[in-house]
Amino acid sequence: VISGRSSVDESMLTGESLPVLKDKDATVTGGTVNCEGPLVLRASEAGEQGVLSGISKLVEDAQMRQAPVQRLADAVVGPFVGTVMGLSFATFAFWSTIGADLFPDALEAAAAGAANQSVLLASLKLAIDVVVVACPCALGLATPTAVLVGTSLAARRGALARGGDVLERLASSSVVVLDKTGTLTTGKLQVAGTAGAAPEEALQLAAALEAGAKHPVATAIIAAARRSQATLKGAEEVYMEAGRGVRGVVEGRRVAVGTLDWALDAVGEAGAAAKLEGAALCGELLQAAGGRPGTVAWVAAEGSGLVGGVALADEVREDAKATVQRLQALGLQVK
């Protein structure tokens, strides 16, 4: 970043639902989303040097890496193919010469009851049967095909495997360690609860100021206000300060939503009592979040001081509990 200050949504890369503050000299990644103010950037990497290209290359390399069982199959398949082809030739030579005289009934059965079928044609059929039953091609193709399909399906679901050797070791693993953010959670914020002197009003005022914003915090607050069927009030003179919050005028009162100190200062209500009140509410809001990663948007209004706080947390996936229970049922330790 050459100049500017803004919050950037990096959830597509890190799984973290909270935007990350970026200012001068910070590094941003192509494909992430700028949520607030303008940024002037200098491209340091482009094309194949970028992070997204690196992820694509990682998937491609994973599909090319051989698993130990694949190396074993490659070592065996060469001699095995030669042996099968030799046995097939020997089968043809035997049945086309002395085999027909020694075992006429067996040759007739191989001819499938076709009385007019020649000895050479029946012998050729038996030779082909040897190749088909032994199927040396499957031995060489099965493992790389399984690795290719497995790594491709995993990549589509957001899981990157370094190669077939990793997949093979995974089968003997006894412990699964999960990074819950973006793994057991969706990577999207939702309102977990509100607290304060007027929690419903806090959500209503926050939604009024955030109505024009597009960052994850604003999206979650507006969605919660609509679910509660709260009337969205109009806001004027809205100004967003990157990394701090948003302020404006709602029904003639100055209102601010953001960090505790900044919101109180923005409406001229800064004071030790208000800050102590916010500190007292933190425990209640953290309990509402249930230990999930997230943040608190504090709402302050002119003449009222601290109206309340809105706890936002990462939403847990619907299948998270069932997935963990299934892993435990398989005898794996989940941490």
Side-chain angles (χ1 to χ4, degrees):
V1 177
I2 298 176
S3 64
R5 179 185 174 94
S6 182
S7 294
V8 176
D9 181 1
E10 297 182 334
S11 58
M12 55 78 64
L13 187 64
T14 65
E16 297 288 344
S17 53
L18 287 175
V20 180
L21 180 63
K22 302 289 184 179
D23 51 16
K24 187 177 180 181
D25 296 331
T27 301
V28 296
T29 304
T32 55
V33 181
N34 183 10
C35 299
E36 297 175 337
L39 294 173
V40 179
L41 307 174
R42 180 180 65 250
S44 58
E45 296 177 346
E48 296 182 354
Q49 298 176 342
V51 173
L52 295 182
S53 296
I55 294 175
S56 299
K57 188 174 184 302
L58 177 64
V59 176
E60 293 174 0
D61 292 343
Q63 294 172 349
M64 299 299 294
R65 283 179 59 172
Q66 290 186 333
V69 67
Q70 185 177 347
R71 289 193 291 270
L72 175 62
D74 290 344
V76 172
V77 74
F80 182 65
V81 169
T83 301
V84 170
M85 295 305 296
L87 290 173
S88 176
F89 178 78
T91 300
F92 176 79
F94 174 79
W95 287 106
S96 62
T97 54
I98 62 174
D101 296 329
L102 295 176
F103 307 102
D105 294 338
L107 191 63
E108 183 179 352
N116 297 327
Q117 192 174 74
S118 67
V119 173
L120 287 178
L121 189 58
S123 301
L124 180 61
K125 179 179 180 297
L126 289 171
I128 294 174
D129 287 345
V130 171
V131 176
V132 172
V133 172
C135 198
C137 294
L139 179 62
L141 294 176
T143 302
T145 301
V147 171
L148 177 64
V149 173
T151 53
S152 297
L153 289 176
R156 290 178 183 178
R157 298 186 180 187
L160 301 181
R162 283 192 169 271
D165 54 337
V166 177
L167 291 177
E168 186 173 337
R169 291 202 303 272
L170 183 62
S172 59
S173 298
S174 58
V175 179
V176 177
V177 180
L178 297 174
D179 173 14
K180 62 183 179 180
T181 306
T183 304
L184 295 179
T185 62
T186 61
K188 296 180 180 179
L189 289 175
Q190 66 172 357
V191 172
T194 56
E200 294 181 0
E201 183 185 10
L203 180 62
Q204 194 174 26
L205 292 174
L209 289 181
E210 300 283 11
K214 299 298 181 183
H215 57 79
V217 172
T219 302
I221 289 175
I222 294 169
R226 288 174 176 167
R227 285 196 302 270
S228 66
Q229 298 182 344
T231 302
L232 295 181
K233 301 179 180 180
E236 301 175 342
E237 302 177 19
V238 177
Y239 174 78
M240 182 179 296
E241 186 168 340
R244 297 181 182 274
V246 57
R247 67 174 187 262
V249 177
V250 179
E251 295 182 338
R253 287 192 304 169
R254 287 187 297 162
V255 178
V257 181
T259 60
L260 180 60
D261 292 345
W262 181 87
L264 291 171
D265 289 340
V267 297
E269 297 289 342
K275 293 180 181 180
L276 287 174
E277 182 183 357
L281 291 174
C282 279
E284 185 177 346
L285 292 169
L286 289 174
Q287 185 177 3
R292 291 174 287 168
T295 187
V296 174
W298 297 100
V299 183
E302 185 179 14
S304 301
L306 184 63
V307 180
V310 180
L312 299 109
D314 202 350
E315 184 179 6
V316 178
R317 293 182 184 272
E318 294 181 357
D319 58 349
K321 183 177 180 180
T323 299
V324 172
Q325 290 176 341
R326 185 176 178 184
L327 290 172
Q328 291 173 335
L330 294 173
L332 298 171
Q333 298 182 41
V334 182
K335 298 182 178 181

